[in-house]
Amino acid sequence: MKAGTAFTGFVDLQVNGYLNVSFSSPDLTADDFRKISLSLFSRGTALFLPTLVTSPESVYERNLPLISDLLEEEPFKSRIPGLHLEGPFLSPEPGAIGAHKSELVRKPDISFLRKMIKLSRGKVKLLTIAAEMPGADKLAKFASSQGIAVSLGHQMAGASSIKKLAAAGAKALTHLGNGLPNSINRHENPLWPALAEDSLTAMIIPDGNHINADMIKVFLRAKGVSRLIMVSDVSYLGGLPPGKYGSPEWRELVIEKSGRIFYPAHNCLAGSSKNLFQCMNYLASLNLMSMKDLLAVSVSNPL
């Protein structure tokens, strides 16, 4: 599907998993990948990027080739254009790290990114990094030269770092308003310079839990429709009922009745329980955008 074609579904740049299957799991199988991808296709997602969160090197070595080989199959070849790496080049600071594991974070490392590109058969299309990390600008320049879109997130970056990364080729902001400590300085924080930097498109999660309606309205006014992208950030717990869940990777997670996924160990959210079709229904209910604009932020802009 290309920008301007008839609507056939939404385009989601951040899908961590679904129906109890994580793309970052050391136990991911080809059948698991096929099952959840087809489930998302049947639920209003036309295209998406499987997203690997900050992981042990062994998981990258195992899962990147596994997924990339599957992307040569139909219908995935036509509907999954590549991969999103959310990490490992993030801020390890509490709050900024979110539900990622700080002990697995790496400083910006071109040689390690080169390895991941090779493991993925060149299918990495989106990379989330923290702007303030030493060497982030060099990493962004290299990634951009390889056809990878660089997005800034899970960071404590100030205005100078965000401007520096934008100049180095960064294009977007990963789930703006999230991946931050619960309390931040009211003036010096990553939100204001990110909103003020006109060259950066903001990706946000309109699931009713990650950011509230007022924030969405403000982000829309600051960025305009042309520089907004909606993502689900759907977790491997997406599509499951409320309750307590655990895994070797995440220990205990809680899906509340509202659908909010809470990670008690970090006192933070851990992805969304909703797919992009559900997110877009919530966004439409706020009456902030026309149908044309809703399709722009969920189809043509991410494409």
Side-chain angles (χ1 to χ4, degrees), residues 42-234:
S42 71
R43 290 167 167 82
T45 298
L47 283 82
F48 73 91
L49 297 185
T51 300
L52 275 73
V53 299
T54 304
S55 298
E57 189 168 356
S58 59
V59 168
Y60 293 122
E61 290 173 341
R62 180 185 183 278
N63 290 15
L64 288 176
L66 185 157
I67 295 172
S68 298
D69 288 347
L70 290 166
L71 299 194
E72 295 302 318
E73 297 180 3
E74 290 294 355
F76 314 121
K77 187 174 183 178
S78 302
R79 301 182 69 171
I80 302 179
L83 296 161
H84 176 183
L85 300 180
E86 188 185 8
F89 313 114
L90 307 179
S91 168
E93 294 298 317
I97 191 61
H100 294 243
K101 293 184 177 180
S102 57
E103 65 269 23
L104 298 177
V105 164
R106 290 173 176 264
K107 294 179 180 178
D109 183 342
I110 290 174
S111 64
F112 191 73
L113 177 57
R114 199 188 300 272
K115 177 179 180 178
M116 291 198 288
I117 293 170
K118 184 176 181 180
L119 287 168
S120 74
R121 324 287 195 245
K123 290 183 169 62
V124 177
K125 296 299 179 185
L126 181 62
L127 173 68
T128 294
I129 66 174
E132 77 273 22
M133 299 295 281
D137 58 331
K138 294 182 177 63
L139 186 73
K141 288 178 181 178
F142 172 74
S144 298
S145 75
Q146 301 302 301
I148 298 171
V150 175
S151 187
L152 307 178
H154 285 281
Q155 61 184 355
M156 293 302 295
S160 61
S161 295
I162 288 174
K163 289 180 182 295
K164 186 176 184 179
L165 265 290
K171 301 294 184 186
L173 300 155
T174 294
H175 51 51
L176 186 64
N178 299 111
L180 286 171
N182 292 323
S183 297
I184 56 176
N185 186 289
R186 60 184 177 182
H187 294 147
E188 303 297 328
N189 63 62
L191 278 175
W192 309 137
L195 286 168
E197 179 52 60
D198 291 338
S199 65
L200 296 175
T201 293
M203 296 188 283
I204 62 175
I205 308 168
D207 65 349
N209 292 310
H210 275 78
I211 56 176
N212 61 39
D214 287 340
M215 291 177 73
I216 294 174
K217 188 173 184 179
V218 170
F219 290 0
L220 173 61
R221 287 180 174 178
K223 290 295 185 181
V225 169
S226 65
R227 289 172 296 174
L228 272 184
I229 288 174
M230 302 299 148
V231 299
S232 71
D233 192 27
V234 65

